[in-house]
Amino acid sequence: MDFHKRLIEEVEKQFGKKVAYQRDCKTLSEKVFDKTNEYISPATLRRLFGFLSTNSKPSRVTLDILSRYCELKDWQDFIDKQHIPSAQQNIYAHQIWLHLFAKCTEITEHSLRTIQIKSGIPFETTVRRNNLEHLLSHFLESGKTAFALIGPGGYGKSTLIANWYKFHLSNKNETIATCIISASKLEQFSYSDLNIDEWLWGQVGIDPLSYPKFYDEIKNLPGKVLFIFDALDEVSLHGIKQEKLLKGIHELASEFSKVANLKFIITSRTSTWKQLQGYITDQTIWMNIEPEAFNSDGANIPPLNYDEIQSVLDNTINKKNKFRILVFEMPPQQRNTIAYPFYLQLFINSYDPNHSKLLSDPYSIINFFIQKKITESVFSDEMFDILTTIANSFIKNGKTITKKELKRLYPIHLKTAGNYYDAYHEMVSFGIISEEKNYSSSLGYNTLIKTSDAKISSSIIAQELISKYDFSPSLIEFIANNYWENDSLDMLTGIIFNLAYNQKKISFLKQLIEKAGPSISSEIAQTLLFCAKRDISTVKELSAAILNNLHISNELFVTNPDLNESKGAFRKMLELIPPKNKLHKISVITNAYLNILSAETNRIDWQEIESIANNTNDLPPQHLAMLYSCILFLSEDKMVSKWQNKIVKCFSNIKDASSKAKFREVIIPLLLINKRFKPLNDLFSERLDVSAHQSALGNILETFNNVMNGQGFLLAKSHNRIMQDYSQLNPNRNHIGIAIGEVSRAISYFHESNLKAAHQCIRNAIELCGISGFRLPEIILMKLLGNTMIRMGEKEHGEKFIGYTEELIAQTGIYEFKSSLYYDI
């Protein structure tokens, strides 16, 4: 039944004659206003009555006004009053479902091809993320309406959706009509005069206004309808249009919440999600948006875990290499870096076994990728021209360049005009740049050109500046003058520092360190740590400059020390601090603390520790806790009570929550392994979630204690949460937290008789302790797991673990502490 036609007939009855001429539309407009006090323009009426051509159907607002003109409440009331044969009513839901399923499948298949092309590596080599797929499937069965997947660009959101659809929602599942739509199409809604649900149904070829009680019919469908808006951040709207879109998404969630079988998912970068959050007034209908679901990257999905990384490596590099790359043989820093899918993609695309050590941190991977794919390309000059233009447009002006603008500068569309055409299309195929269709009312449809990641843009800019200014004072001056208040300053400085370090530009590095203020000191300190792990010799030449810059030296040794290794680059950096430097006490305490964890107590200068203990006024909280922990661990039995009380009193005198959190954090490893620390458990009775790191660490410890006290198994959601917590931990001191979390998961898996998963978690924990050189935590964790395995019937494996702990005790020479070690060792 054509309800639009029926309404026109009713309007003409009210009007008193047929609308036969355009001038009648002006008269009708006046009559409608007189009766309803609502205005419809003559132009709108001319389109409705066929005097003006149009591709769109009348809006809900227009239909409501005309219905009221016909003395009805609104358009829905008009439809309800129509006589519809019962036979016709029975087939509506069936017709809608058949049409929906076919159209949704068609749109989704097109979207999947786009996602697969942009995946950076062959899509069939990507990994399925089973925990997250399980969470998405749980959403479909839940009472929630909307679900958000949030994370930085390159975090694998679109790939996750594509794999989930492929294995769970494709044609073999005929109870879910899934429509994956590029969110950029939502711009069309912002420029329309439709309600968002009308616009959305129109995308799948359905006019809800043509059905009586449309949403009642939807309730009768034989399955669910799922809309997925992929990459909300790629919508380039501003002002009122952006506000309309963000409000529209909330309104859609509210409208869908009235119908159990309508759901939608959005994927977005963190910045766009934060804007949308302001418009969501009812969070109860959303899933996966609670604050604790987000990690330090601003993502509510975890980075890749070790098994997922290994799967991708086996599908790509290991198929070509003579020797198999094993994730557990990689340095921890490298493993943490490539857990971010974007860096894993770059790592794979630029891997060279002769230069694998260069691919250890984010900046090195980006720089090596650019060198291999761009600098060494036969089209390198043309590529740099194109990339520099794109990057400068975005970084300096905050605008994404259009393909039309790029064509005016370079003949990227002409095969016969030099190498720009080949250079451009080669970069598209590598995933270095991408094209996005866009619509605006002023420009119509156009194509936007973007680099695949802001880090690539910053690296391109860095290399352009270096080619222009070399590693000279002019380069530092140019950055200060042009990028000082730019969001890309940290990233740009880190990349330039990394490149200069690799080329041993000592003079330039000294100048950069000397002039670095507080705004970039954290970035330089972290980059310096990355570089030192590859080559410590250059640090020695820079040590004086580092120690003279209070911002950088404080960041390195006081605020954010690298406590992940008992040996290694950071320990060697500590040794560069001379006795007369005010940071010398800090270095002595940190060294002693790391020696305790590595069970090398013979390396501790006990007299120097006692001397420092007599003057602790200027010590930061975490170093004060390190100091007292070392003394308590090494004290004679008769002095134990004194130092336990000292630690408790010191903690109670700290007023600042952040300082309290830092103080007690360094006690955690010893709390787990030494009976002398067990009375200090009370220090952890209060949650101090002053940062994402502290909150995640608190969750991991709480889970560990629950598992140890036999309070039940971990559900799949809890395993996912723990792995999410790993990504929130500070990367300079996350190894202990991850090891404890993996032990918790292993014990839970043992109780579920999932031995394969349990053994994997054991390997993760032991491997991490081994790499870090944390012998004492390794001993206790292995003993714990050995006893658990014996209780669960894995006697042979359990006894091997316990035997190995005895060997470690013998190797470390800690027999004198054996009686005080925790958990019955």
Side-chain angles (χ1 to χ4, degrees), residues 345-352 359 365 368-370 372-373:
Q345 168 202 323
L346 296 189
F347 178 85
I348 291 166
N349 285 330
S350 55
Y351 180 75
D352 182 339
L359 301 171
I365 289 175
F368 197 78
F369 174 79
I370 289 174
K372 189 166 183 179
K373 295 298 183 183

Side-chain angles (χ1 to χ4, degrees), residues 737-751:
I738 295 174
I740 294 170
E742 288 300 277
V743 168
S744 304
R745 295 179 64 222
I747 293 173
S748 178
Y749 279 133
F750 273 126
H751 282 288

Side-chain angles (χ1 to χ4, degrees), residues 560-720:
N560 195 20
D562 184 357
L563 301 180
N564 272 345
E565 298 178 21
S566 62
K567 302 179 179 65
F570 180 68
R571 290 292 294 273
K572 292 175 182 175
M573 292 170 75
L574 286 170
E575 293 167 5
L576 297 175
I577 301 174
K580 292 184 179 180
N581 190 283
K582 67 177 186 177
L583 290 173
H584 181 66
K585 280 201 298 187
I586 295 289
S587 70
V588 172
I589 293 169
T590 308
N591 266 311
Y593 176 77
L594 292 171
N595 283 330
I596 292 286
L597 293 182
S598 64
E600 296 177 295
T601 54
N602 59 315
R603 296 181 61 184
I604 299 174
D605 188 332
W606 182 242
Q607 288 185 334
E608 194 166 19
I609 289 292
E610 285 186 319
S611 174
I612 294 172
N614 292 326
N615 181 18
T616 61
N617 293 333
D618 56 345
L619 287 180
Q622 62 191 11
H623 291 86
L624 190 59
M626 287 182 197
L627 174 67
Y628 289 159
S629 294
C630 291
I631 296 173
L632 175 57
F633 191 87
L634 296 168
S635 289
E636 296 179 359
D637 291 343
K638 63 182 180 181
M639 299 297 293
V640 166
S641 179
K642 169 190 172 182
W643 286 106
Q644 287 172 346
N645 293 333
K646 186 92 171 174
I647 291 175
V648 172
K649 183 179 179 181
C650 182
F651 179 78
S652 64
N653 288 336
I654 300 173
K655 304 303 179 186
D656 176 59
S658 177
S659 297
K660 276 191 167 186
K662 290 178 180 178
F663 181 94
R664 70 183 189 179
E665 181 184 338
V666 298
I667 298 174
I668 290 170
L670 301 175
L671 188 71
L672 295 170
I673 62 176
N674 192 289
K675 288 183 179 179
R676 294 181 177 187
F677 288 81
K678 192 175 181 180
L680 303 180
N681 260 310
D682 290 343
L683 299 188
F684 293 83
S685 59
E686 178 188 359
R687 284 293 294 252
L688 296 172
D689 296 342
V690 292
S691 67
H693 166 78
Q694 292 293 345
S695 177
L697 192 59
N699 292 335
I700 291 169
L701 288 174
E702 184 179 344
T703 302
F704 177 79
N705 285 328
N706 288 343
V707 170
M708 291 306 303
N709 292 326
Q711 295 181 17
F713 307 130
L714 300 179
L715 301 175
K717 185 177 180 180
S718 300
H719 284 283
N720 189 57

Side-chain angles (χ1 to χ4, degrees), residues 298-338:
N300 62 0
I301 56 176
L304 298 170
N305 62 40
Y306 296 160
D307 290 342
E308 290 168 343
I309 297 171
Q310 188 65 63
S311 176
V312 176
L313 292 177
D314 288 343
N315 289 335
T316 54
I317 296 174
N318 287 338
K319 281 191 173 181
K320 303 174 185 177
N321 270 6
K322 184 177 180 182
F323 300 103
R324 184 174 179 234
I325 299 174
L326 296 175
V327 173
F328 284 94
E329 292 179 356
M330 290 180 166
Q333 177 182 301
Q334 188 174 53
R335 292 194 307 215
N336 290 340
T337 298
I338 64 175

Side-chain angles (χ1 to χ4, degrees), residues 413-426:
H413 54 304
L414 300 174
K415 288 185 178 182
T416 57
N419 294 324
Y420 283 99
Y421 176 90
D422 291 326
Y424 178 83
H425 288 278
E426 191 168 302

Side-chain angles (χ1 to χ4, degrees), residues 28 32 48 50 117 338 351 446-447 474 501 550 558 578 590 598 661 757-758:
L28 177 59
V32 169
L48 180 66
I117 289 170
I338 64 175
Y351 180 75
N446 56 70
T447 302
S474 299
Y501 195 99
L550 297 181
V558 180
T590 308
S598 64

